[in-house]
Amino acid sequence: MANLKTSEKKSKAQSMGMHTEVLTGRTQQKFFNPDEAENFYYFGTYDVDFNKRTDLDVKDMSAPEANKKIDDLMSQGYGTIVIKNPQGKHSLGVGILNKLNLIFEGSLGYFGMGSCDGPTVRINGRVGWSCAENLMAGKVVIEKNAGSCFGAAIRGGDLICKGSVGARTGIDMKGGTIIVGGDAGAFTGFMMQRGRIIILGDVGINLGDSMYDGTIFVGGSIGSYGSDAVDAELTKSDQEWLKRKLKVAEIGEKFDVSKMKKIVAGKKLWNYDNLEPTEKKGAI
């Protein structure tokens, strides 16, 4: 009986593009494991108090100086830090491996919040290319628009843009969830390996091109499908999950998810070692 329940559970998870194993990120919980509490933390992280709040004006700081100051404030126990005057600086907030409430009052440049594991971040502006690249766990919310390569290679956590995003959103993503309230550019989900992308608006050409696994949900029109991206049935489980996810993300809560399109990998590109018939003739 136990094996039967495990099999049913696994089948449901896989049908939604989700899996039971942890990919990376030691603060990340196992998917669908109610017995797993807050997991492991990195050595050298700080015990912070979310009620202990401070402001940090980075107007006259370089990005390395600002990031070092954020680390210093966490070491003092500050759990909520408000960054003032980010002024579109590149690489702000990268490499945070700690629980933290981080609020940016303004816009970020390229590579903001990259390689993080654990923080909850709100950006009250827009972001440039490659926001939250390689995010492992946590939550990042952008109030306005985002540039290209949004959420590149993320492995976990939730990445939410309330506006529109550029091309190659979710490129090479390996886990986690990307939610976009507006439109997305060309090659969204390009070479994605796992995870979920939710686009409430329209999507450009070559959606899901060369995707290996994972699931893409689109509420608007699709410019064109990429290589090996195919439609799949939108199940009741999908719709229930979408409703819960959008409600928690505080975006598109009233969106009619029943009209969304579900896109998955056709799996025709999985056997990369198989030679074409014309190639086999010349093989030795």
Side-chain angles (χ1 to χ4, degrees), residues 8-27:
E8 291 175 350
K9 187 177 183 181
K10 183 176 181 181
S11 297
K12 181 178 179 181
Q14 290 183 338
S15 72
M16 295 175 65
M18 303 178 186
H19 302 260
T20 56
E21 70 272 20
V22 170
L23 299 176
T24 78
R26 284 181 283 177
T27 62

Side-chain angles (χ1 to χ4, degrees), residues 95-263:
I96 297 175
L97 308 178
N98 213 92
K99 294 294 184 181
L100 177 70
N101 286 331
L102 189 61
I103 302 167
F104 289 92
E105 292 190 345
S107 299
L108 304 186
Y110 301 160
F111 308 114
M113 302 310 307
S115 297
C116 288
D117 192 338
T120 298
V121 184
R122 186 173 297 274
I123 301 168
N124 295 321
R126 58 186 181 275
V127 296
W129 282 33
S130 295
C131 177
E133 181 173 339
N134 200 39
L135 177 71
M136 290 176 275
K139 181 179 180 180
V140 180
V141 180
I142 295 92
E143 293 291 339
K144 296 185 179 179
N145 298 328
S148 298
C149 297
F150 183 63
I154 71 168
R155 298 170 179 269
D158 289 335
L159 182 55
I160 302 161
C161 179
K162 294 186 177 181
S164 295
V165 298
R168 300 181 298 282
T169 289
I171 180 175
D172 196 33
M173 69 182 291
K174 300 171 177 66
T177 304
I178 295 175
I179 305 176
V180 178
D183 301 331
F187 285 95
T188 290
F190 179 46
M191 294 183 68
M192 69 182 294
Q193 298 175 32
R194 198 167 287 177
R196 290 82 60 198
I197 300 177
I198 305 171
I199 310 292
L200 300 187
D202 301 332
V203 183
I205 62 173
N206 295 322
L207 174 68
D209 189 81
S210 302
M211 64 186 295
Y212 181 82
D213 203 348
T215 312
I216 305 174
F217 299 97
V218 179
S221 63
I222 297 173
S224 67
Y225 288 74
S227 177
D228 208 31
V230 298
D231 287 317
E233 178 189 1
L234 185 70
T235 66
K236 183 178 179 181
S237 296
D238 292 325
Q239 294 181 47
E240 291 174 350
W241 178 81
L242 284 165
K243 288 177 182 178
R244 292 196 303 271
K245 199 68 178 179
L246 292 175
K247 183 176 181 179
V248 171
E250 300 177 6
I251 180 174
E253 186 176 344
K254 297 182 180 179
F255 194 89
D256 187 358
V257 298
S258 67
K259 300 185 183 308
M260 298 194 84
K261 302 178 187 71
K262 178 181 177 182
I263 298 90

Side-chain angles (χ1 to χ4, degrees), residues 32-106:
F32 300 125
N33 187 347
D35 299 322
E36 187 76 13
E38 292 285 345
N39 209 341
F40 302 105
Y41 293 88
Y42 291 96
F43 176 78
T45 54
Y46 307 111
D47 185 12
V48 298
D49 180 357
F50 294 138
N51 293 317
K52 190 174 181 180
R53 177 183 177 122
T54 188
D55 295 346
L56 175 62
D57 193 329
V58 300
K59 181 179 180 180
D60 298 321
M61 295 183 187
S62 66
E65 290 171 340
N67 292 335
K68 178 63 168 61
K69 186 61 178 178
I70 292 172
D71 189 75
D72 290 341
L73 291 171
M74 288 192 298
S75 71
Q76 298 172 39
Y78 286 100
T80 301
I81 303 174
V82 180
I83 307 297
K84 296 183 177 294
N85 296 308
Q87 297 184 321
K89 288 185 173 68
H90 304 319
S91 302
L92 283 177
V94 299
I96 297 175
L97 308 178
N98 213 92
K99 294 294 184 181
L100 177 70
N101 286 331
L102 189 61
I103 302 167
F104 289 92
E105 292 190 345

